[in-house]
Amino acid sequence: MTASRKIDWNDLHVEFGLDVVREQLQRAAANAPLPRVRTAGEPDAADDLPPAPSDTAPAAGAAPPEEGAGEASGWTLEKLTSRFALVEGETKVFDLHRKVVVKKTGFLAMVGKALGNQWYDLPSKKGVDPEHAKRLETDAKLGKRLGKSKGQVSSEDLYWRYVYLDGSQDIYDRQLRQRLPAAAVKLALGDAFSLWQNSDQRQVIPAANLVFDPRMTESPKDTINTFEGLPLTPNPDLDLCRGIVWLLGFLCNGQQDAVDWLTKWLAFPLQHVGAKLDTAVLMHSTMEGSGKSLLFGDIMRPIYGEYGATVGQVQLESSWSQWQSSKLYGLFEEVVSRDQRYNQTGKIKHMVTGKTVRIESKFMNGWEEANYMNAVFLSNEILPWPIGENDRRMLVLWPELTLPEKAQKRIGWELANGGIEAFYQYLLDYDLGDFDERTRPPKTPARQRLVELSFTAWETFYNLWKTDGLGIPFSPCRTQDLYGLFTEWCSRGGEHKLSETKFGLFLGTKPDTYKSPGQYFWYDDFNNRRRSMFFVPNPPDGLDLSDGKRLGQLVRDWRRQAAEAGWHPEKWDGCIGYSAPLRNAGGPDA
């Protein structure tokens, strides 16, 4: 086939065969920017992934990008607000991704003069103290923090390093970036502690001015912000994270709305650092080796560095909560034991939606801190903890398959060759649309199963009645008749019974099962006048509860349909004035 000859797919098919056409299409698909997400039931979920390069082959694109690479276009005001902070009192700008201070001329040349000046005019842009920015830049260039390799510090470093928190017995160590009890600093300084304590050069700030503010909205004056930026530098080579992006779809079983929501949930706090989402992710499955810890632990944790935490049951149940301090991301693995699953739900809900958190640590004063931590929960339990039918805090996922070997190798290679940094860039560039902190997750089959597993007996009964699962219409009936049906249903299914009073009170909380405020007259099968209380779901048009004849007819119809469905109203304790119909001798309920 000559280079000057133009052919289409039909010509290629006729001249070279269908196999050549298939190979051409597969090669084209292999160069696509994003891999296809597996659909449910697909036999080999890793077919679209390129193989992992051999260990001896050079890692194409693995080298970190040159400074300024990929920054010539694509800037928006929102991206500038997320990435840059103004050095207070100057026109210089601090790049939170590359940890460098950029002069105004260089900044405007990089992002464009019009957009850059628009950013300068924003009243709500981030700010950073000049000294703080300089030290962050130095740390990044040296690859270590000032004084880490030194056994001693100079007097200048000493007064910079330790800051007394007025109103407490604590001292903030700038070098270790920890809040310490005074006794710990005494052990570190020895005889020099008294010199520091009595020196005019000692720095003092109010204890409330030591803040963790990843949004960088606090004034730097007389304030120490413990947030220093996320540790990784994004890598624009998205080919290095194709397997990681594919893993998102694999864990969501190919449910596209779940894939999109999960990706946005991961991306939003990175594009808006410090955003506290009102939602969380619960991924549970009895399938070992699905890759849930790989994604949320090995991949997402390094993006947050020290601002992420992996939490177990011991930390969650402990009275000391310092592990929550200065955290943006929390990975909770099997944090609730089977005998405690109903006792920890309140604490879990507060971690997801609470605005502040109380930090308690040994030998130090407790303090309040803003809650910026977004949480992911992993479990191998079928019922990690109960969730309510109307609880929309969590995206619940149940991975169905074990990660294929081809995908394991590909993702393993990406982790060793800049894939995490590339995935970081992928999330930074992901289109969020109208997604925000309160966007509710989609319903998934895993969530519905977990909700149903969380139901108590009366809730399961109510849902069956409402959805015609009992064979009886969801219509007005006597409260005693419904309780009689409930007890018979519990006996058949081995469910836990409730007293009639509690059953009526619980069911009365449902908005569609209106309970009459008092007793009303009705006529039974023998035309006797009686009084009862009623549940009134789906009342027929024009129903008047004071019409005894109409109520009596509704009671008779409801009991008749219960008997036709195989239940036994004549055996219910409170079923008064009932004339049982003759049942077929050969019927299932005879």
Side-chain angles (χ1 to χ4, degrees):
M1 184 171 59
T2 63
S4 60
R5 180 185 174 192
K6 296 182 179 180
I7 64 173
D8 59 14
W9 292 110
N10 291 326
D11 296 330
L12 190 67
H13 178 201
V14 171
E15 187 167 347
F16 296 96
L18 189 59
D19 290 339
V20 174
V21 175
R22 182 184 297 108
E23 181 182 1
Q24 292 280 344
L25 290 172
Q26 288 176 343
R27 288 184 178 180
N31 292 325
L34 296 176
R36 177 176 60 85
V37 176
R38 178 182 71 88
T39 58
E42 191 172 335
D44 185 0
D47 285 346
D48 289 334
L49 283 179
S54 64
D55 295 336
T56 57
E66 295 183 4
E67 187 172 308
E71 297 176 333
S73 63
W75 291 109
T76 65
L77 188 61
E78 186 176 16
K79 288 184 178 181
L80 298 188
T81 305
S82 174
R83 176 167 173 174
F84 297 100
L86 179 68
V87 179
E88 293 291 330
E90 303 180 19
T91 59
K92 295 178 181 177
V93 174
F94 184 70
D95 186 335
L96 291 165
H97 287 180
R98 293 187 289 122
K99 304 294 191 303
V100 294
V101 176
V102 183
K103 292 183 179 180
K104 182 176 182 179
T105 53
F107 174 71
L108 294 179
M110 179 169 58
V111 304
K113 184 175 293 186
L115 189 61
N117 286 327
Q118 189 178 355
W119 177 83
Y120 270 105
D121 293 337
L122 283 177
S124 59
K125 58 184 173 291
K126 297 176 181 178
V128 62
D129 180 74
E131 184 68 22
H132 190 53
K134 182 178 179 181
R135 287 185 179 273
L136 287 176
E137 184 179 37
T138 302
D139 291 347
K141 289 180 179 179
L142 296 178
K144 58 184 178 180
R145 291 189 171 83
L146 179 64
K148 266 193 172 181
S149 62
K150 300 179 181 179
Q152 302 292 332
V153 295
S154 67
S155 59
E156 181 182 353
D157 288 332
L158 181 70
Y159 295 119
W160 168 83
R161 174 173 176 174
Y162 296 108
V163 181
Y164 171 57
L165 304 179
D166 194 11
S168 73
Q169 300 182 37
D170 304 333
I171 297 169
Y172 181 69
D173 186 335
R174 289 181 187 264
Q175 180 173 307
L176 298 180
R177 294 193 298 120
Q178 291 183 9
R179 183 174 181 145
L180 301 173
V185 179
K186 284 183 181 180
L187 290 175
L189 295 182
D191 294 339
F193 180 79
S194 60
L195 298 175
W196 170 84
Q197 185 178 20
N198 297 312
S199 173
D200 294 336
Q201 300 181 54
R202 182 185 70 165
Q203 295 189 44
V204 180
I205 66 170
N209 284 16
L210 179 67
V211 298
F212 176 63
D213 179 30
R215 292 177 294 187
M216 303 181 76
T217 57
E218 297 284 346
S219 172
K221 185 178 180 180
D222 295 328
T223 301
I224 296 179
N225 185 2
T226 61
F227 179 70
E228 297 188 354
L230 298 178
L232 296 186
T233 300
N235 189 334
D237 187 358
L238 298 186
D239 281 339
L240 297 177
C241 67
R242 293 182 64 188
I244 299 174
V245 174
W246 171 89
L247 181 60
L248 286 169
F250 178 81
L251 291 173
C252 295
N253 303 311
Q255 185 177 338
Q256 286 298 327
D257 56 347
V259 176
D260 183 63
W261 190 92
L262 177 59
T263 308
K264 290 177 179 177
W265 189 90
L266 294 173
F268 192 91
L270 297 176
Q271 295 186 23
H272 304 84
V273 178
K276 178 68 179 79
L277 304 179
D278 288 343
T279 52
V281 176
L282 169 59
M283 185 167 288
H284 69 128
S285 175
T286 55
M287 179 65 66
E288 298 286 346
S290 60
K292 52 184 184 291
S293 294
L294 176 62
L295 174 64
F296 295 109
D298 298 344
I299 296 170
M300 289 304 301
R301 266 297 312 276
I303 293 177
Y304 286 94
E306 63 192 277
Y307 304 113
T310 300
V311 185
Q313 182 181 345
V314 174
Q315 290 95 331
L316 186 67
E317 296 180 353
S318 173
S319 57
W320 309 116
S321 57
Q322 193 172 12
W323 61 267
Q324 282 186 267
S325 179
S326 302
K327 292 296 181 284
L328 297 173
Y329 176 83
L331 177 62
F332 297 80
E333 298 205 57
E334 299 290 2
V335 292
V336 180
S337 60
R338 293 185 180 182
D339 58 340
Q340 293 290 322
R341 61 174 54 141
Y342 290 93
N343 299 335
Q344 297 294 339
T345 53
K347 184 179 292 187
I348 290 171
K349 288 179 180 178
H350 178 74
M351 281 191 295
V352 174
T353 58
K355 302 305 179 186
T356 60
V357 62
R358 179 71 180 177
I359 305 297
E360 299 287 350
S361 182
K362 285 185 177 180
F363 313 118
M364 287 195 291
N365 302 103
W367 66 95
E368 288 283 333
E369 195 172 287
N371 181 17
Y372 295 106
M373 184 175 64
N374 297 303
V376 174
F377 300 90
L378 304 182
S379 177
N380 292 322
E381 295 285 338
I382 297 176
L383 178 59
W385 62 82
I387 66 172
E389 187 175 10
N390 297 318
D391 188 343
R392 295 294 304 278
R393 289 179 179 87
M394 295 197 181
L395 173 71
V396 183
L397 298 170
W398 178 278
E400 298 174 351
L401 300 173
T402 300
L403 197 63
E405 183 178 357
K406 179 181 179 181
Q408 292 180 26
K409 291 182 178 179
R410 171 69 193 189
I411 296 172
W413 176 84
E414 291 179 358
L415 294 183
N417 292 278
I420 296 177
E421 291 83 351
F423 185 60
Y424 182 19
Q425 183 68 61
Y426 173 81
L427 294 177
L428 289 174
D429 293 338
Y430 197 83
D431 183 10
L432 297 176
D434 57 357
F435 187 94
D436 60 24
E437 295 91 337
R438 287 162 292 281
T439 302
R440 296 305 183 190
K443 291 184 178 180
T444 61
R447 181 188 180 276
Q448 184 59 34
R449 179 174 60 242
L450 186 56
V451 168
E452 292 177 3
L453 286 170
S454 304
F455 281 156
T456 58
W458 76 267
E459 289 175 311
T460 302
F461 174 84
Y462 162 77
N463 282 283
L464 288 173
W465 181 33
K466 184 178 179 179
T467 58
D468 201 27
L470 300 173
I472 301 175
F474 193 59
S475 61
C477 62
R478 293 175 65 241
T479 58
Q480 289 177 303
D481 287 351
L482 189 64
Y483 180 70
L485 176 62
F486 171 70
T487 56
E488 184 178 353
W489 174 80
C490 287
S491 297
R492 286 189 184 184
E495 298 286 351
H496 179 67
K497 297 180 182 179
L498 292 172
S499 69
E500 183 176 350
T501 301
K502 287 186 177 180
F503 175 76
L505 290 172
F506 281 140
L507 204 61
T509 62
K510 296 295 184 180
D512 51 4
T513 52
Y514 167 74
K515 186 178 180 181
S516 64
Q519 295 187 342
Y520 289 87
F521 288 106
W522 60 283
Y523 289 89
D524 65 16
D525 292 359
F526 308 102
N527 206 32
N528 295 321
R529 192 166 184 251
R530 298 183 180 275
R531 291 178 60 183
S532 298
M533 296 186 71
F534 286 82
F535 286 117
V536 195
N538 291 333
D541 293 339
L543 175 63
D544 183 358
L545 293 179
S546 63
D547 186 348
K549 295 289 186 182
R550 183 77 184 278
L551 278 183
Q553 185 62 48
L554 291 174
V555 170
R556 287 190 293 274
D557 290 345
W558 197 87
R559 290 171 171 177
R560 175 181 53 80
Q561 292 178 82
E564 291 175 354
W567 303 101
H568 298 82
E570 70 275 6
K571 296 182 181 180
W572 300 343
D573 290 340
C575 187
I576 56 177
Y578 173 64
S579 177
L582 294 176
R583 297 178 182 268
N584 295 330
D589 298 303

